[in-house]
Amino acid sequence: MKVGIPAEITKGEMRVGATPKTVQRLINKQGFEVFIQEGAGINSNYSDQQYRQSGATILKSAEEIYDVADIILKVQAVSDEEINLMHKDQVSLSYLSPAQNLDLLQKLADKGVNAIAMDAIPRISRAQKMDVLSSMANIAGYRSVIESANYFGRFLNGQITAAGKVEPAKVLVIGAGVAGLAAIGTARSLGAIVRAFDTRMEVAEQIQSMGAKFLTVDIEEDGSTASGYSKVMSQAFIDAEMELFKDQASEVDIVITTAQIPGRQAPKLWLDYHVEAMKSGSVIVDLAASSGGNCTETKDGEIYTTDNGVTIIGKLDQLPTQASQLYGNNLCHLLDDMGKAEAWKIDMDDDVVSRAMVTYDGEVNWPPEPLPVNPTKKVKAEVQETSEVISPKNKSGGRSKGILVSIVLMGALLYFLGLYAPKEFMGHFTVFVLSVFIGWQVIWNVSHSLHTPLMAVTNAISGIIIIGGLILTEQDLTSPMTILALVAILVAMINIAGGFFVTNRMLKMFRKG
């Protein structure tokens, strides 16, 4: 089978449907022949020579690409001119925004094109590797912090210098999806004080684990839905939310908004009076600018400064080199799932393919059947119910039998040892058993977050030595037995203290700031 990558003709689009690395994967691992239009990767910093070296064939025009290819890999949706170049049963993979482009879907269906909307990939665990929205949101979240820092005019991190003290910047992230979490991580790594708001209570732990403060309102209402996106909240919640943002507006230096709903206008979260309350020199980055914006003052595709000195960013650098690589990987993963070149198949019974294939066999296949992707609560309930009904009997019964058998075996062993072993041996054996039991339990029950599993074992052995040494210590400090016991205790304590010290140093290696 032949894969074609035409140049993007949408104004401002810098990405490309395949990079030299993904071309190598398409050819060497998936068995496709790859054809790419001349100059298609120039805006993403990929030359025709790089594509040739990867094994692709360079064709002069888009007409040649659409004529020869069985599968078309694009970023933006095809135009009317490009549809005219396509042929029946050709497969197209690209962004399509199907909910907003029903006319385009009908044109593709009339042409007999089997079109996959990469932005309609369902958000289920198996499809994460194909989720272009998450891949691009990750870049957008990172880039939002970098560009806001550029326009902010001060350090993001706090500093104490000979010239004076610099306060750290305060960043507010609204929406803690993929883009929001990427923004939180980037802002924290640059030293800013980060606060985040989201209507979904389930993301609170994620926000806090990244070092940000989770903001919420006093109304108990959860915005989580089965689709993974937020639902429309009650008016009382919205009013409390707006009041919270008003309080934050006068404090924060940078606001990053990320809330988007597929197929709908972005919700308005940062209103005109919020902008007016912000300090001069503050920055707003609206990642939802292309779908109407979360800020009422955002201008899509523009960066401007308001009368009160607030810079509002309605466009971001796409980082086309990185974005094309991630997007190309998403496409390759989907082609993997569809059988590669050797066993290529459009399986409409597949949950991912059937929902992303928006036109198939001359028909529009949109909207798809709903697919719940967040059954956590149901699963938890089932597990809890099962454990309540089944586990106590089986577990407690099995555990009791195991303990009884162990006691009987140990009793028999001690009885035979008592019959035949000398008195001195029994005394030492008793000390050994007590040391093992007490030492192991004392050290092993320490949380593994405080030391590595390896240190847990060595510390347990050291604990055994300490308990044994304490038992063998006599009142006469000059006796050889007591001296050896004290030396053993000292060495074991050094080992335990050293273990925690080394583990603490290891943990610091993985901490930022």
Side-chain angles (χ1 to χ4, degrees), residues 26 57 105 153 174 257 259 262 316 398 403 446 460 513:
L26 289 167
T57 301
L105 300 190
I174 301 177
T257 65
L316 292 176
I403 293 173
V446 174

Side-chain angles (χ1 to χ4, degrees), residues 123 134 137-138 141 173-184 197-198 200 203 206-207 210 228-230 258-259:
R123 287 194 157 176
S134 294
N138 184 28
V173 178
I174 301 177
V178 175
L181 292 175
I184 290 169
F197 175 86
D198 199 291
R200 299 164 295 178
V203 304
Q206 299 175 38
I207 291 170
M210 298 186 73
Y229 294 96
S230 300
T258 71

Side-chain angles (χ1 to χ4, degrees), residues 447-459 499 502-503 506-507:
S447 171
H448 277 248
S449 62
L450 300 180
H451 51 54
T452 64
L454 176 61
M455 290 301 176
V457 175
T458 58
N459 285 353
V502 170
T503 301
M506 292 171 62
L507 292 174

Side-chain angles (χ1 to χ4, degrees), residues 122-130 337 349-353:
R123 287 194 157 176
I124 58 178
S125 297
R126 182 170 70 85
Q128 287 180 356
K129 59 188 178 182
M130 316 165 201
D337 269 28
D349 292 326
D350 183 279
D351 287 337
V352 175
V353 175

